[in-house]
Structure formats: structure tokens, C-alpha cells
């Protein structure tokens, strides 16, 4: 039986502690500090309940019960990055100008125009939405096929996610879909990139996504459910996909890696195609994902504990 916190639970608890301190320090300016604390109490209660169930029935299935709620909670932690970062001035003008200086145009505005057919539109929306399935496939592979390395993989996965979230908490970048909705797409051709200051703290209007098929409908549903002007730089879609692919490579399964690889490549370009990110965001996501993967692997060597429960 595994006693105490597992590694992925420990890093979740650390994130709760760090962000709780941030809430206390920003109590007067944050819009809903009490509800943020209530959410943390709910997560802690679920962790305690799942641990109690595991103690009664220690097996691989109840280990999965301990992982699953925290995995789903990653979706709910995301909107909080907007709550934190919207307290600062937005920096979109910097990243939009970087793209312009590199390319001479805005890739996020011309990509879908260059490949505007319904086929390409659905193709890249499929790639963007595959983000969720890539991660699920990797975690489930470790659980069923590489169980002895499950703790390390889940720790690296969760810790990398939380590192991205901490960056987003203090680096407010809304992304092209918000920036050009606020300013109009014609400013890009004029090489004018106005500063937004705290505009997105009060405005969440987004460039409309046209629904042409199943995948664009799914992306639109995801946007309507949890999208906010936050987390554009570096792209966590690209960054966490990078972490996922590195974990897939470390699993030793070439089949897993090469099955996931095409979707990861499509996703890299899709983040720009759907206007979720500036091109520089996606490039930085590759670098940040590799960096966080390295950091969290080294950190795991410090915090790891024996994995007693046998498959």
C-alpha cells in the first residue's frame, strides 16, 4: 500500500499552497478570493476522500481514482490564471510586434486565409482539439503499460502544467483572438500595435470562430466553456504537448510516440491557425516545454518515494 501523498498529489498541494499565498497577498484587488479558496477546499476534500477509498481498497483502480480528479482539475485551474494576470498590464503589443518583425506580417491573421478551405479549416481545428487526447493517451499508456514509472510520469506532467500556470499568473498576454478583436485586424497591415494596459480585465470579446464541421464546433465549445484572455505566452498547448511527447519517448514505446507525433506537429501549427497564439508563443512553447520537462525530471529525483503497490 502507498502511504501518504503520491508525488503528483504533493506537487498539487504545493501549487495550492503557493497560489493561496498569492490570493492572500492580492485579496483587495482580486474579484473573487473567497470562491478561489472554496475551490481549494473542494480539491483538498476530494483528495482526502480518494485517499480514504484507496486505504480501504488499495489497488491500481483506486490509484487511478486518485489521479483522475486532479487531472480534471487542471482544466479548472486554468481560468484562475486570468484572475491573477488581469491585475497587470497586458503585453500583447510586444509579442504581436515580434511576429511582425520576424515575418513582416501576422501569421495568426494570414494562416487561415492562405489555407481557407473547409478541409484545412477542420484539419487544423482537429489538431488543436487533439491536445486533450494526446495527454490522456500518454497518461493511460503509463498506467496500463509502464506502471512502474507511473509516479515519475504523472509528477513531471502535473509539475510542468503548474509551472506554465505560474508563468501565466504574472505574464498577461491575451493572444491574437482577443487582441485583434479589440483593435481590428487592419492594424497589423499598418504595423501599429497599441498597448492594452488593463483593457482585458474588463473585456473578453473574442474574434468569432466559424463553425464548419465537427472539430470547429468542438473548439468553439471549449472556447465558450473556459477561454479567457490569458495564457498566450508561452503556448501551454505546444509546451504541454512537448512534455507529453518527451514522456512518450521516455516510455520506450516507439509505437506510442509515432502515433502521437503527427497530431503534435499539426497542433503546433494549429495554435496559430485558430488565432489562439502568436507564432512566437508557439516557438516559445516548444522551448518552455523542453525546459520544464528537464526541471521537473530533476526535481522528481529529490521528492520521489518508493512505489510499493505492485501491478
Amino acid at each position: 500500500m502507498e502511504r501518504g501523498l503520491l508525488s503528483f498529489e504533493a506537487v498539487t498541494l504545493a501549487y495550492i499552497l503557493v497560489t493561496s499565498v498569492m490570493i492572500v497577498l492580492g485579496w483587495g484587488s482580486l474579484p473573487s478570493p473567497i470562491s478561489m479558496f472554496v475551490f481549494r477546499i473542494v480539491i483538498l476534500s476530494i483528495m482526502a476522500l480518494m485517499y480514504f477509498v484507496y486505504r480501504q481498497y488499495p489497488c491500481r483502480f483506486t490509484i487511478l481514482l486518485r489521479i483522475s480528479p486532479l487531472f480534471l482539475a487542471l482544466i479548472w485551474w486554468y481560468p484562475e490564471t486570468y484572475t491573477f494576470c488581469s491585475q497587470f498590464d497586458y503585453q500583447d503589443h510586444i509579442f504581436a510586434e515580434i511576429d511582425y518583425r520576424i515575418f513582416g506580417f501576422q501569421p495568426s491573421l494570414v494562416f487561415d486565409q492562405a489555407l481557407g478551405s473547409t478541409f484545412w479549416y477542420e484539419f487544423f481545428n482537429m489538431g488543436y482539439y487533439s491536445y486533450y487526447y494526446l495527454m490522456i493517451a500518454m497518461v493511460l499508456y503509463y498506467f496500463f503499460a509502464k506502471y512502474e514509472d507511473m509516479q515519475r510520469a504523472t509528477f513531471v506532467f502535473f509539475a510542468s502544467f503548474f509551472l506554465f500556470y505560474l508563468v501565466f499568473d504574472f505574464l498577461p498576454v491575451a493572444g491574437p483572438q482577443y487582441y485583434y478583436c479589440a483593435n481590428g485586424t487592419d492594424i497589423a497591415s499598418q504595423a501599429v500595435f497599441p498597448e492594452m494596459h488593463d483593457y482585458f480585465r474588463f473585456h473578453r470579446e473574442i474574434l468569432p470562430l466559424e463553425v464548419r464541421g465537427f472539430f470547429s464546433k468542438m473548439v468553439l465549445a471549449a472556447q465558450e466553456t473556459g477561454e479567457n484572455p490569458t495564457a498566450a505566452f508561452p503556448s501551454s498547448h505546444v509546451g504541454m504537448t512537448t512534455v507529453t511527447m518527451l514522456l512518450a519517448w521516455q516510455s520506450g514505446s516507439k509505437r506510442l510516440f509515432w502515433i502521437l507525433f503527427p497530431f503534435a506537429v499539426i497542433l503546433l501549427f494549429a495554435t496559430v491557425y485558430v488565432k489562439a497564439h502568436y507564432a512566437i508563443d508557439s516557438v516559445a512553447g516548444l522551448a518552455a516545454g523542453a525546459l520544464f520537462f528537464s526541471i521537473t525530471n530533476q526535481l522528481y529525483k529529490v521528492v520521489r518515494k518508493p512505489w510499493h503497490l505492485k501491478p
Side-chain angles (χ1 to χ4, degrees):
M1 178 184 293
E2 305 296 332
R3 298 187 179 276
L5 294 175
L6 299 176
S7 300
F8 64 88
E9 293 170 324
V11 75
T12 300
L13 192 61
Y15 183 75
I16 290 174
L17 178 61
V18 170
T19 52
S20 293
V21 172
M22 291 163 54
I23 294 170
V24 171
L25 293 176
W27 190 276
S29 59
L30 294 174
S32 54
I34 294 178
S35 64
M36 294 169 78
F37 270 118
V38 169
F39 175 64
R40 281 154 177 76
I41 293 171
V42 170
I43 294 297
L44 292 172
S45 300
I46 292 174
M47 289 175 65
L49 175 61
M50 292 301 100
Y51 180 69
F52 173 78
V53 172
Y54 169 77
R55 289 295 298 270
Q56 302 304 309
Y57 308 99
C59 63
R60 289 177 65 171
F61 175 72
T62 49
I63 287 286
L64 186 60
L65 286 180
R66 294 173 70 174
I67 296 172
S68 300
L70 300 186
F71 189 94
L72 292 174
L74 291 170
I75 300 172
W76 297 104
W77 289 118
Y78 170 75
E80 279 198 356
T81 65
Y82 171 70
T83 303
F84 286 118
C85 79
S86 61
Q87 308 304 306
F88 308 104
D89 285 352
Y90 277 77
Q91 305 300 313
D92 284 77
H93 60 288
I94 295 175
F95 299 99
E97 185 167 358
I98 289 174
D99 266 15
Y100 182 82
R101 290 186 178 275
I102 293 174
F103 300 100
F105 56 89
Q106 284 294 305
S108 59
L109 295 181
V110 304
F111 195 1
D112 67 330
Q113 296 175 8
L115 298 175
S117 70
T118 298
F119 170 81
W120 288 114
Y121 192 80
E122 282 295 291
F123 179 79
F124 284 111
N125 274 276
M126 177 274 296
Y128 188 74
Y129 196 74
S130 67
Y131 172 67
Y132 306 103
Y133 300 110
L134 288 170
M135 296 185 294
I136 292 171
M138 181 276 298
V139 171
L140 290 179
Y141 181 84
Y142 268 89
F143 185 79
F144 289 107
K146 292 284 291 185
Y147 186 73
E148 70 280 0
D149 204 23
M150 182 69 181
Q151 273 220 79
R152 182 192 63 84
T154 51
F155 176 84
V156 168
F157 182 80
F158 277 83
S160 296
F161 241 120
F162 290 139
L163 285 174
F164 274 106
Y165 284 172
L166 287 173
V167 171
F168 300 150
D169 287 340
F170 297 99
L171 182 58
V173 184
Q177 56 193 346
Y178 290 99
Y179 186 66
Y180 290 115
C181 181
N183 292 293
T185 58
D186 58 326
I187 66 168
S189 60
Q190 302 169 16
V192 176
F193 306 105
E195 296 186 35
M196 301 307 294
H197 302 291
D198 64 348
Y199 175 86
F200 295 116
R201 184 176 180 179
F202 308 101
H203 299 84
R204 304 188 196 183
E205 296 81 14
I206 193 171
L207 287 173
L209 177 69
E210 183 181 355
V211 175
R212 299 189 193 176
F214 175 78
F215 291 109
S216 52
K217 184 176 182 179
M218 296 301 291
V219 171
L220 177 62
Q223 285 184 344
E224 293 176 342
T225 300
E227 194 59 75
N228 281 297
T230 180
F233 183 88
S235 168
S236 60
H237 264 69
V238 174
M240 285 308 303
T241 298
T242 302
V243 171
T244 296
M245 294 307 300
L246 289 169
L247 285 170
W249 181 263
Q250 277 194 345
S251 74
S253 172
K254 293 182 180 179
R255 178 178 297 180
L256 174 68
F257 180 85
W258 290 113
I259 288 174
L260 300 185
F261 183 76
F263 295 97
V265 174
I266 298 167
L267 185 145
L268 171 65
F269 292 98
T271 56
V272 181
Y273 186 93
V274 303
K275 300 180 178 64
H277 294 280
Y278 306 103
I280 190 62
D281 300 342
S282 296
V283 174
L286 286 170
L291 175 62
F292 291 168
F293 178 82
S294 177
I295 291 173
T296 53
N297 263 291
Q298 293 302 313
L299 183 59
Y300 179 73
K301 295 178 181 179
V302 177
V303 303
R304 66 183 174 185
K305 58 180 294 185
W307 187 239
H308 299 297
L309 183 65
K310 302 302 179 184

